PDB file of all heavy atoms in Angstrom:
ATOM      1  N   ALA T  19       0.837   1.233  -0.013  1.00  0.00           N
ATOM      2  CA  ALA T  19       0.895   2.571   0.577  1.00  0.00           C
ATOM      3  C   ALA T  19       1.517   3.509  -0.441  1.00  0.00           C
ATOM      4  O   ALA T  19       2.320   3.094  -1.282  1.00  0.00           O
ATOM      5  CB  ALA T  19       1.712   2.575   1.860  1.00  0.00           C
ATOM      6  N   ILE T  20       1.135   4.777  -0.359  1.00  0.00           N
ATOM      7  CA  ILE T  20       1.729   5.758  -1.262  1.00  0.00           C
ATOM      8  C   ILE T  20       3.216   5.898  -0.945  1.00  0.00           C
ATOM      9  O   ILE T  20       4.051   5.891  -1.842  1.00  0.00           O
ATOM     10  CB  ILE T  20       1.026   7.115  -1.128  1.00  0.00           C
ATOM     11  CG1 ILE T  20      -0.451   6.989  -1.538  1.00  0.00           C
ATOM     12  CG2 ILE T  20       1.728   8.170  -1.996  1.00  0.00           C
ATOM     13  CD1 ILE T  20      -1.280   8.218  -1.238  1.00  0.00           C
ATOM     14  N   ILE T  21       3.522   5.975   0.341  1.00  0.00           N
ATOM     15  CA  ILE T  21       4.910   6.152   0.757  1.00  0.00           C
ATOM     16  C   ILE T  21       5.088   5.646   2.177  1.00  0.00           C
ATOM     17  O   ILE T  21       4.138   5.614   2.961  1.00  0.00           O
ATOM     18  CB  ILE T  21       5.321   7.639   0.658  1.00  0.00           C
ATOM     19  CG1 ILE T  21       6.837   7.808   0.824  1.00  0.00           C
ATOM     20  CG2 ILE T  21       4.549   8.490   1.652  1.00  0.00           C
ATOM     21  CD1 ILE T  21       7.326   9.203   0.467  1.00  0.00           C
ATOM     22  N   SER T  22       6.291   5.218   2.489  1.00  0.00           N
ATOM     23  CA  SER T  22       6.643   4.789   3.841  1.00  0.00           C
ATOM     24  C   SER T  22       7.890   5.542   4.278  1.00  0.00           C
ATOM     25  O   SER T  22       8.745   5.880   3.452  1.00  0.00           O
ATOM     26  CB  SER T  22       6.917   3.282   3.871  1.00  0.00           C
ATOM     27  OG  SER T  22       7.517   2.903   5.099  1.00  0.00           O
ATOM     28  N   TYR T  23       7.987   5.812   5.564  1.00  0.00           N
ATOM     29  CA  TYR T  23       9.210   6.434   6.077  1.00  0.00           C
ATOM     30  C   TYR T  23      10.384   5.458   6.019  1.00  0.00           C
ATOM     31  O   TYR T  23      11.532   5.873   6.115  1.00  0.00           O
ATOM     32  CB  TYR T  23       8.995   6.902   7.517  1.00  0.00           C
ATOM     33  CG  TYR T  23       8.308   8.244   7.611  1.00  0.00           C
ATOM     34  CD1 TYR T  23       6.929   8.323   7.738  1.00  0.00           C
ATOM     35  CD2 TYR T  23       9.031   9.429   7.550  1.00  0.00           C
ATOM     36  CE1 TYR T  23       6.285   9.550   7.810  1.00  0.00           C
ATOM     37  CE2 TYR T  23       8.393  10.659   7.619  1.00  0.00           C
ATOM     38  CZ  TYR T  23       7.025  10.711   7.752  1.00  0.00           C
ATOM     39  OH  TYR T  23       6.386  11.929   7.807  1.00  0.00           O
ATOM     40  N   GLY T  24      10.087   4.177   5.879  1.00  0.00           N
ATOM     41  CA  GLY T  24      11.153   3.194   5.739  1.00  0.00           C
ATOM     42  C   GLY T  24      11.848   2.832   7.037  1.00  0.00           C
ATOM     43  O   GLY T  24      12.993   2.348   7.015  1.00  0.00           O
ATOM     44  N   PHE T  25      11.185   3.033   8.169  1.00  0.00           N
ATOM     45  CA  PHE T  25      11.790   2.694   9.451  1.00  0.00           C
ATOM     46  C   PHE T  25      11.998   1.187   9.577  1.00  0.00           C
ATOM     47  O   PHE T  25      11.163   0.393   9.147  1.00  0.00           O
ATOM     48  CB  PHE T  25      10.895   3.152  10.609  1.00  0.00           C
ATOM     49  CG  PHE T  25      10.743   4.644  10.734  1.00  0.00           C
ATOM     50  CD1 PHE T  25       9.616   5.182  11.342  1.00  0.00           C
ATOM     51  CD2 PHE T  25      11.714   5.519  10.267  1.00  0.00           C
ATOM     52  CE1 PHE T  25       9.461   6.549  11.470  1.00  0.00           C
ATOM     53  CE2 PHE T  25      11.576   6.886  10.396  1.00  0.00           C
ATOM     54  CZ  PHE T  25      10.443   7.402  11.001  1.00  0.00           C
ATOM     55  N   ASP T  26      13.108   0.803  10.195  1.00  0.00           N
ATOM     56  CA  ASP T  26      13.364  -0.615  10.453  1.00  0.00           C
ATOM     57  C   ASP T  26      12.249  -1.225  11.292  1.00  0.00           C
ATOM     58  O   ASP T  26      11.874  -2.387  11.108  1.00  0.00           O
ATOM     59  CB  ASP T  26      14.703  -0.792  11.176  1.00  0.00           C
ATOM     60  CG  ASP T  26      15.899  -0.500  10.285  1.00  0.00           C
ATOM     61  OD1 ASP T  26      15.736  -0.535   9.040  1.00  0.00           O
ATOM     62  OD2 ASP T  26      16.990  -0.226  10.826  1.00  0.00           O
ATOM     63  N   GLU T  27      11.717  -0.437  12.212  1.00  0.00           N
ATOM     64  CA  GLU T  27      10.632  -0.890  13.083  1.00  0.00           C
ATOM     65  C   GLU T  27       9.415  -1.326  12.264  1.00  0.00           C
ATOM     66  O   GLU T  27       8.787  -2.350  12.546  1.00  0.00           O
ATOM     67  CB  GLU T  27      10.240   0.243  14.030  1.00  0.00           C
ATOM     68  CG  GLU T  27       9.106  -0.065  14.972  1.00  0.00           C
ATOM     69  CD  GLU T  27       8.773   1.116  15.875  1.00  0.00           C
ATOM     70  OE1 GLU T  27       9.520   2.110  15.871  1.00  0.00           O
ATOM     71  OE2 GLU T  27       7.760   1.028  16.595  1.00  0.00           O
ATOM     72  N   ALA T  28       9.085  -0.565  11.243  1.00  0.00           N
ATOM     73  CA  ALA T  28       7.945  -0.897  10.387  1.00  0.00           C
ATOM     74  C   ALA T  28       8.231  -2.141   9.560  1.00  0.00           C
ATOM     75  O   ALA T  28       7.370  -3.025   9.431  1.00  0.00           O
ATOM     76  CB  ALA T  28       7.604   0.278   9.480  1.00  0.00           C
ATOM     77  N   ARG T  29       9.438  -2.225   8.987  1.00  0.00           N
ATOM     78  CA  ARG T  29       9.793  -3.404   8.188  1.00  0.00           C
ATOM     79  C   ARG T  29       9.705  -4.676   9.021  1.00  0.00           C
ATOM     80  O   ARG T  29       9.172  -5.698   8.566  1.00  0.00           O
ATOM     81  CB  ARG T  29      11.202  -3.236   7.608  1.00  0.00           C
ATOM     82  CG  ARG T  29      11.257  -2.357   6.378  1.00  0.00           C
ATOM     83  CD  ARG T  29      12.598  -2.492   5.677  1.00  0.00           C
ATOM     84  NE  ARG T  29      13.652  -1.835   6.426  1.00  0.00           N
ATOM     85  CZ  ARG T  29      14.046  -0.579   6.210  1.00  0.00           C
ATOM     86  NH1 ARG T  29      13.462   0.139   5.267  1.00  0.00           N
ATOM     87  NH2 ARG T  29      15.019  -0.037   6.917  1.00  0.00           N
ATOM     88  N   ALA T  30      10.209  -4.603  10.253  1.00  0.00           N
ATOM     89  CA  ALA T  30      10.172  -5.778  11.130  1.00  0.00           C
ATOM     90  C   ALA T  30       8.738  -6.148  11.496  1.00  0.00           C
ATOM     91  O   ALA T  30       8.385  -7.337  11.555  1.00  0.00           O
ATOM     92  CB  ALA T  30      10.986  -5.503  12.397  1.00  0.00           C
ATOM     93  N   ALA T  31       7.905  -5.139  11.732  1.00  0.00           N
ATOM     94  CA  ALA T  31       6.517  -5.390  12.124  1.00  0.00           C
ATOM     95  C   ALA T  31       5.730  -6.039  10.986  1.00  0.00           C
ATOM     96  O   ALA T  31       4.964  -6.990  11.212  1.00  0.00           O
ATOM     97  CB  ALA T  31       5.850  -4.092  12.552  1.00  0.00           C
ATOM     98  N   PHE T  32       5.918  -5.562   9.760  1.00  0.00           N
ATOM     99  CA  PHE T  32       5.222  -6.163   8.623  1.00  0.00           C
ATOM    100  C   PHE T  32       5.711  -7.587   8.375  1.00  0.00           C
ATOM    101  O   PHE T  32       4.915  -8.481   8.063  1.00  0.00           O
ATOM    102  CB  PHE T  32       5.396  -5.302   7.374  1.00  0.00           C
ATOM    103  CG  PHE T  32       4.390  -4.198   7.251  1.00  0.00           C
ATOM    104  CD1 PHE T  32       4.649  -2.944   7.790  1.00  0.00           C
ATOM    105  CD2 PHE T  32       3.179  -4.403   6.609  1.00  0.00           C
ATOM    106  CE1 PHE T  32       3.712  -1.913   7.695  1.00  0.00           C
ATOM    107  CE2 PHE T  32       2.240  -3.389   6.506  1.00  0.00           C
ATOM    108  CZ  PHE T  32       2.505  -2.140   7.057  1.00  0.00           C
ATOM    109  N   ALA T  33       7.011  -7.798   8.516  1.00  0.00           N
ATOM    110  CA  ALA T  33       7.562  -9.141   8.328  1.00  0.00           C
ATOM    111  C   ALA T  33       7.004 -10.101   9.373  1.00  0.00           C
ATOM    112  O   ALA T  33       6.637 -11.242   9.058  1.00  0.00           O
ATOM    113  CB  ALA T  33       9.085  -9.098   8.401  1.00  0.00           C
ATOM    114  N   ALA T  34       6.919  -9.641  10.625  1.00  0.00           N
ATOM    115  CA  ALA T  34       6.396 -10.489  11.703  1.00  0.00           C
ATOM    116  C   ALA T  34       4.932 -10.832  11.472  1.00  0.00           C
ATOM    117  O   ALA T  34       4.462 -11.910  11.869  1.00  0.00           O
ATOM    118  CB  ALA T  34       6.571  -9.786  13.049  1.00  0.00           C
ATOM    119  N   ALA T  35       4.209  -9.922  10.826  1.00  0.00           N
ATOM    120  CA  ALA T  35       2.786 -10.151  10.557  1.00  0.00           C
ATOM    121  C   ALA T  35       2.562 -10.910   9.247  1.00  0.00           C
ATOM    122  O   ALA T  35       1.411 -11.191   8.876  1.00  0.00           O
ATOM    123  CB  ALA T  35       2.048  -8.820  10.502  1.00  0.00           C
ATOM    124  N   ASN T  36       3.656 -11.255   8.555  1.00  0.00           N
ATOM    125  CA  ASN T  36       3.570 -11.944   7.263  1.00  0.00           C
ATOM    126  C   ASN T  36       2.752 -11.151   6.242  1.00  0.00           C
ATOM    127  O   ASN T  36       1.899 -11.697   5.539  1.00  0.00           O
ATOM    128  CB  ASN T  36       2.985 -13.355   7.435  1.00  0.00           C
ATOM    129  CG  ASN T  36       3.901 -14.273   8.197  1.00  0.00           C
ATOM    130  OD1 ASN T  36       5.102 -14.332   7.929  1.00  0.00           O
ATOM    131  ND2 ASN T  36       3.363 -14.998   9.177  1.00  0.00           N
ATOM    132  N   VAL T  37       3.025  -9.852   6.198  1.00  0.00           N
ATOM    133  CA  VAL T  37       2.375  -8.965   5.233  1.00  0.00           C
ATOM    134  C   VAL T  37       3.465  -8.271   4.412  1.00  0.00           C
ATOM    135  O   VAL T  37       4.367  -7.660   4.974  1.00  0.00           O
ATOM    136  CB  VAL T  37       1.502  -7.903   5.927  1.00  0.00           C
ATOM    137  CG1 VAL T  37       0.910  -6.933   4.898  1.00  0.00           C
ATOM    138  CG2 VAL T  37       0.393  -8.559   6.734  1.00  0.00           C
ATOM    139  N   ALA T  38       3.373  -8.384   3.089  1.00  0.00           N
ATOM    140  CA  ALA T  38       4.324  -7.710   2.204  1.00  0.00           C
ATOM    141  C   ALA T  38       3.827  -6.290   1.941  1.00  0.00           C
ATOM    142  O   ALA T  38       2.676  -6.098   1.535  1.00  0.00           O
ATOM    143  CB  ALA T  38       4.456  -8.475   0.899  1.00  0.00           C
ATOM    144  N   LEU T  39       4.687  -5.300   2.180  1.00  0.00           N
ATOM    145  CA  LEU T  39       4.332  -3.902   1.958  1.00  0.00           C
ATOM    146  C   LEU T  39       4.889  -3.423   0.618  1.00  0.00           C
ATOM    147  O   LEU T  39       6.074  -3.575   0.344  1.00  0.00           O
ATOM    148  CB  LEU T  39       4.881  -3.030   3.089  1.00  0.00           C
ATOM    149  CG  LEU T  39       4.670  -1.522   2.945  1.00  0.00           C
ATOM    150  CD1 LEU T  39       3.183  -1.184   2.911  1.00  0.00           C
ATOM    151  CD2 LEU T  39       5.374  -0.765   4.076  1.00  0.00           C
ATOM    152  N   HIS T  40       4.015  -2.823  -0.189  1.00  0.00           N
ATOM    153  CA  HIS T  40       4.397  -2.307  -1.507  1.00  0.00           C
ATOM    154  C   HIS T  40       4.096  -0.811  -1.535  1.00  0.00           C
ATOM    155  O   HIS T  40       2.960  -0.401  -1.292  1.00  0.00           O
ATOM    156  CB  HIS T  40       3.593  -3.001  -2.606  1.00  0.00           C
ATOM    157  CG  HIS T  40       3.559  -4.494  -2.489  1.00  0.00           C
ATOM    158  ND1 HIS T  40       4.490  -5.313  -3.080  1.00  0.00           N
ATOM    159  CD2 HIS T  40       2.695  -5.317  -1.824  1.00  0.00           C
ATOM    160  CE1 HIS T  40       4.206  -6.582  -2.805  1.00  0.00           C
ATOM    161  NE2 HIS T  40       3.118  -6.603  -2.042  1.00  0.00           N
ATOM    162  N   THR T  41       5.100   0.016  -1.825  1.00  0.00           N
ATOM    163  CA  THR T  41       4.893   1.463  -1.841  1.00  0.00           C
ATOM    164  C   THR T  41       5.152   2.041  -3.237  1.00  0.00           C
ATOM    165  O   THR T  41       5.936   1.482  -4.013  1.00  0.00           O
ATOM    166  CB  THR T  41       5.811   2.170  -0.832  1.00  0.00           C
ATOM    167  OG1 THR T  41       7.179   1.951  -1.192  1.00  0.00           O
ATOM    168  CG2 THR T  41       5.571   1.648   0.586  1.00  0.00           C
ATOM    169  N   LEU T  42       4.491   3.165  -3.509  1.00  0.00           N
ATOM    170  CA  LEU T  42       4.662   3.815  -4.806  1.00  0.00           C
ATOM    171  C   LEU T  42       5.983   4.555  -4.915  1.00  0.00           C
ATOM    172  O   LEU T  42       6.582   4.625  -5.983  1.00  0.00           O
ATOM    173  CB  LEU T  42       3.517   4.799  -5.060  1.00  0.00           C
ATOM    174  CG  LEU T  42       2.121   4.208  -5.217  1.00  0.00           C
ATOM    175  CD1 LEU T  42       1.112   5.311  -5.513  1.00  0.00           C
ATOM    176  CD2 LEU T  42       2.087   3.150  -6.318  1.00  0.00           C
ATOM    177  N   THR T  43       6.430   5.128  -3.801  1.00  0.00           N
ATOM    178  CA  THR T  43       7.680   5.870  -3.827  1.00  0.00           C
ATOM    179  C   THR T  43       8.328   5.814  -2.453  1.00  0.00           C
ATOM    180  O   THR T  43       7.806   5.143  -1.550  1.00  0.00           O
ATOM    181  CB  THR T  43       7.449   7.327  -4.278  1.00  0.00           C
ATOM    182  OG1 THR T  43       8.709   7.945  -4.548  1.00  0.00           O
ATOM    183  CG2 THR T  43       6.682   8.125  -3.239  1.00  0.00           C
ATOM    184  N   ASP T  44       9.464   6.485  -2.304  1.00  0.00           N
ATOM    185  CA  ASP T  44      10.176   6.463  -1.030  1.00  0.00           C
ATOM    186  C   ASP T  44      10.802   7.829  -0.775  1.00  0.00           C
ATOM    187  O   ASP T  44      10.851   8.692  -1.663  1.00  0.00           O
ATOM    188  CB  ASP T  44      11.240   5.367  -1.011  1.00  0.00           C
ATOM    189  CG  ASP T  44      12.172   5.434  -2.206  1.00  0.00           C
ATOM    190  OD1 ASP T  44      12.676   6.535  -2.514  1.00  0.00           O
ATOM    191  OD2 ASP T  44      12.389   4.392  -2.843  1.00  0.00           O
ATOM    192  N   PHE T  45      11.291   8.022   0.423  1.00  0.00           N
ATOM    193  CA  PHE T  45      11.822   9.322   0.795  1.00  0.00           C
ATOM    194  C   PHE T  45      13.158   9.638   0.129  1.00  0.00           C
ATOM    195  O   PHE T  45      13.496  10.806  -0.064  1.00  0.00           O
ATOM    196  CB  PHE T  45      11.929   9.444   2.315  1.00  0.00           C
ATOM    197  CG  PHE T  45      10.662   9.942   2.935  1.00  0.00           C
ATOM    198  CD1 PHE T  45       9.713   9.046   3.386  1.00  0.00           C
ATOM    199  CD2 PHE T  45      10.391  11.295   3.017  1.00  0.00           C
ATOM    200  CE1 PHE T  45       8.521   9.490   3.933  1.00  0.00           C
ATOM    201  CE2 PHE T  45       9.207  11.757   3.561  1.00  0.00           C
ATOM    202  CZ  PHE T  45       8.265  10.854   4.022  1.00  0.00           C
ATOM    203  N   GLU T  46      13.920   8.625  -0.221  1.00  0.00           N
ATOM    204  CA  GLU T  46      15.168   8.883  -0.932  1.00  0.00           C
ATOM    205  C   GLU T  46      14.871   9.558  -2.274  1.00  0.00           C
ATOM    206  O   GLU T  46      15.533  10.526  -2.665  1.00  0.00           O
ATOM    207  CB  GLU T  46      15.943   7.589  -1.148  1.00  0.00           C
ATOM    208  CG  GLU T  46      17.261   7.763  -1.895  1.00  0.00           C
ATOM    209  CD  GLU T  46      18.216   8.735  -1.203  1.00  0.00           C
ATOM    210  OE1 GLU T  46      18.226   8.795   0.050  1.00  0.00           O
ATOM    211  OE2 GLU T  46      18.943   9.454  -1.928  1.00  0.00           O
ATOM    212  N   THR T  47      13.853   9.050  -2.971  1.00  0.00           N
ATOM    213  CA  THR T  47      13.450   9.645  -4.239  1.00  0.00           C
ATOM    214  C   THR T  47      12.945  11.068  -4.031  1.00  0.00           C
ATOM    215  O   THR T  47      13.272  11.987  -4.797  1.00  0.00           O
ATOM    216  CB  THR T  47      12.357   8.791  -4.908  1.00  0.00           C
ATOM    217  OG1 THR T  47      12.851   7.462  -5.095  1.00  0.00           O
ATOM    218  CG2 THR T  47      11.966   9.366  -6.261  1.00  0.00           C
ATOM    219  N   LEU T  48      12.152  11.275  -2.990  1.00  0.00           N
ATOM    220  CA  LEU T  48      11.652  12.613  -2.675  1.00  0.00           C
ATOM    221  C   LEU T  48      12.791  13.598  -2.425  1.00  0.00           C
ATOM    222  O   LEU T  48      12.784  14.720  -2.927  1.00  0.00           O
ATOM    223  CB  LEU T  48      10.745  12.562  -1.442  1.00  0.00           C
ATOM    224  CG  LEU T  48       9.289  12.161  -1.651  1.00  0.00           C
ATOM    225  CD1 LEU T  48       8.617  11.956  -0.310  1.00  0.00           C
ATOM    226  CD2 LEU T  48       8.555  13.222  -2.450  1.00  0.00           C
ATOM    227  N   LEU T  49      13.767  13.169  -1.637  1.00  0.00           N
ATOM    228  CA  LEU T  49      14.886  14.045  -1.310  1.00  0.00           C
ATOM    229  C   LEU T  49      15.703  14.396  -2.553  1.00  0.00           C
ATOM    230  O   LEU T  49      16.146  15.529  -2.720  1.00  0.00           O
ATOM    231  CB  LEU T  49      15.778  13.400  -0.266  1.00  0.00           C
ATOM    232  CG  LEU T  49      15.264  13.410   1.178  1.00  0.00           C
ATOM    233  CD1 LEU T  49      16.241  12.692   2.093  1.00  0.00           C
ATOM    234  CD2 LEU T  49      15.034  14.830   1.656  1.00  0.00           C
ATOM    235  N   GLN T  50      15.895  13.411  -3.426  1.00  0.00           N
ATOM    236  CA  GLN T  50      16.647  13.669  -4.656  1.00  0.00           C
ATOM    237  C   GLN T  50      15.949  14.713  -5.516  1.00  0.00           C
ATOM    238  O   GLN T  50      16.579  15.637  -6.042  1.00  0.00           O
ATOM    239  CB  GLN T  50      16.817  12.368  -5.437  1.00  0.00           C
ATOM    240  CG  GLN T  50      17.785  11.383  -4.800  1.00  0.00           C
ATOM    241  CD  GLN T  50      17.847  10.067  -5.558  1.00  0.00           C
ATOM    242  OE1 GLN T  50      17.241   9.915  -6.609  1.00  0.00           O
ATOM    243  NE2 GLN T  50      18.577   9.109  -5.012  1.00  0.00           N
ATOM    244  N   LEU T  51      14.619  14.578  -5.646  1.00  0.00           N
ATOM    245  CA  LEU T  51      13.862  15.536  -6.448  1.00  0.00           C
ATOM    246  C   LEU T  51      13.843  16.914  -5.799  1.00  0.00           C
ATOM    247  O   LEU T  51      13.997  17.939  -6.468  1.00  0.00           O
ATOM    248  CB  LEU T  51      12.428  15.031  -6.656  1.00  0.00           C
ATOM    249  CG  LEU T  51      12.243  13.847  -7.603  1.00  0.00           C
ATOM    250  CD1 LEU T  51      10.781  13.431  -7.655  1.00  0.00           C
ATOM    251  CD2 LEU T  51      12.731  14.194  -9.007  1.00  0.00           C
ATOM    252  N   ALA T  52      13.615  16.940  -4.486  1.00  0.00           N
ATOM    253  CA  ALA T  52      13.566  18.217  -3.764  1.00  0.00           C
ATOM    254  C   ALA T  52      14.903  18.931  -3.827  1.00  0.00           C
ATOM    255  O   ALA T  52      14.965  20.152  -3.978  1.00  0.00           O
ATOM    256  CB  ALA T  52      13.162  17.984  -2.315  1.00  0.00           C
ATOM    257  N   ASP T  53      15.980  18.161  -3.740  1.00  0.00           N
ATOM    258  CA  ASP T  53      17.327  18.734  -3.826  1.00  0.00           C
ATOM    259  C   ASP T  53      17.580  19.261  -5.236  1.00  0.00           C
ATOM    260  O   ASP T  53      18.058  20.382  -5.433  1.00  0.00           O
ATOM    261  CB  ASP T  53      18.348  17.657  -3.460  1.00  0.00           C
ATOM    262  CG  ASP T  53      19.764  18.205  -3.317  1.00  0.00           C
ATOM    263  OD1 ASP T  53      19.917  19.446  -3.276  1.00  0.00           O
ATOM    264  OD2 ASP T  53      20.709  17.405  -3.249  1.00  0.00           O
ATOM    265  N   GLY T  54      17.222  18.445  -6.230  1.00  0.00           N
ATOM    266  CA  GLY T  54      17.444  18.847  -7.615  1.00  0.00           C
ATOM    267  C   GLY T  54      16.639  20.067  -8.024  1.00  0.00           C
ATOM    268  O   GLY T  54      17.100  20.891  -8.821  1.00  0.00           O
TER     269      GLY T  54
END
C-alpha cells in the first residue's frame, strides 16, 4: 500500500489473515514534513 493510517484494528486484521502489509510511507513521516 502507498500508505496506511496505522490503526491497531488494521494491524490485527492483517495478522489474523496471515498477510504481511508493506507500505511506502506513514503518517508520522507526513506530519513531520508538513510541520517542517
Side-chain angles (χ1 to χ4, degrees):
I20 297 171
I21 191 169
S22 168
Y23 278 93
F25 294 155
D26 289 340
E27 179 180 352
R29 280 193 287 266
F32 274 90
N36 293 314
V37 176
L39 176 62
H40 312 270
T41 62
L42 294 182
T43 191
D44 52 48
F45 273 93
E46 180 58 34
T47 302
L48 277 171
L49 284 178
Q50 289 176 5
L51 288 178
D53 189 12

